[in-house]
Amino acid sequence: MTTTLPVATGACCAPLVRAPLGAEDATRLAGTLRAIADPARLRLLSLVAAHEGGEACVCDLVEPLGLSQPTVSHHLKVLVDAGLLTREKRGVWAYFTLVPGALDSIASVLVTTGS
């Protein structure tokens, strides 16, 4: 089951310092933060975003992480389910791209300065 969290798409919460976070928003934000709270997943986000053209094949991500292909695929699925990456199947390979604004949306919720 694929779920897109409002936090990742920018339609969620006011910054934590301006308004208390509601229970539903807190649950969604916690799910997104859980998805990125793994070192391998953080590296995957970085590898995909920095890859030529802003997209990467799963086959390009196994060696830099030093993990098996099934483990990398599992981590990528978690990031897709959290709404942080998109997946496009091309033949036998899957290509991943960062959802535009997904990381900015998370950062905007956690910001402590500004408007």
Side-chain angles (χ1 to χ4, degrees), residues 1-113:
M1 176 173 83
T2 299
T3 56
T4 301
L5 301 175
V7 171
T9 60
C12 178
C13 323
L16 297 175
V17 297
R18 286 201 307 234
L21 198 58
E24 188 175 315
D25 288 338
T27 299
R28 287 186 184 123
L29 179 58
T32 302
L33 293 175
R34 254 190 311 278
I36 64 171
D38 180 280
R41 291 185 205 134
L42 282 174
R43 291 200 56 218
L44 281 168
L45 287 173
S46 178
L47 286 165
V48 169
H51 203 268
E52 185 178 330
E55 73 173 7
C57 173
V58 68
C59 60
D60 297 325
L61 301 170
V62 172
E63 185 178 330
L65 280 179
L67 299 173
S68 69
Q69 187 275 325
T71 300
V72 172
S73 291
H74 164 74
H75 287 304
L76 289 165
K77 181 184 182 324
V78 170
L79 293 168
V80 168
D81 288 348
L84 298 167
L85 293 178
T86 60
R87 177 184 183 270
E88 181 184 334
K89 183 102 165 135
R90 297 182 201 158
V92 298
W93 296 110
Y95 288 79
F96 296 86
T97 57
L98 187 63
V99 171
L103 298 178
D104 297 329
S105 296
I106 296 167
S108 71
V109 174
L110 301 175
V111 71
T112 60
T113 60

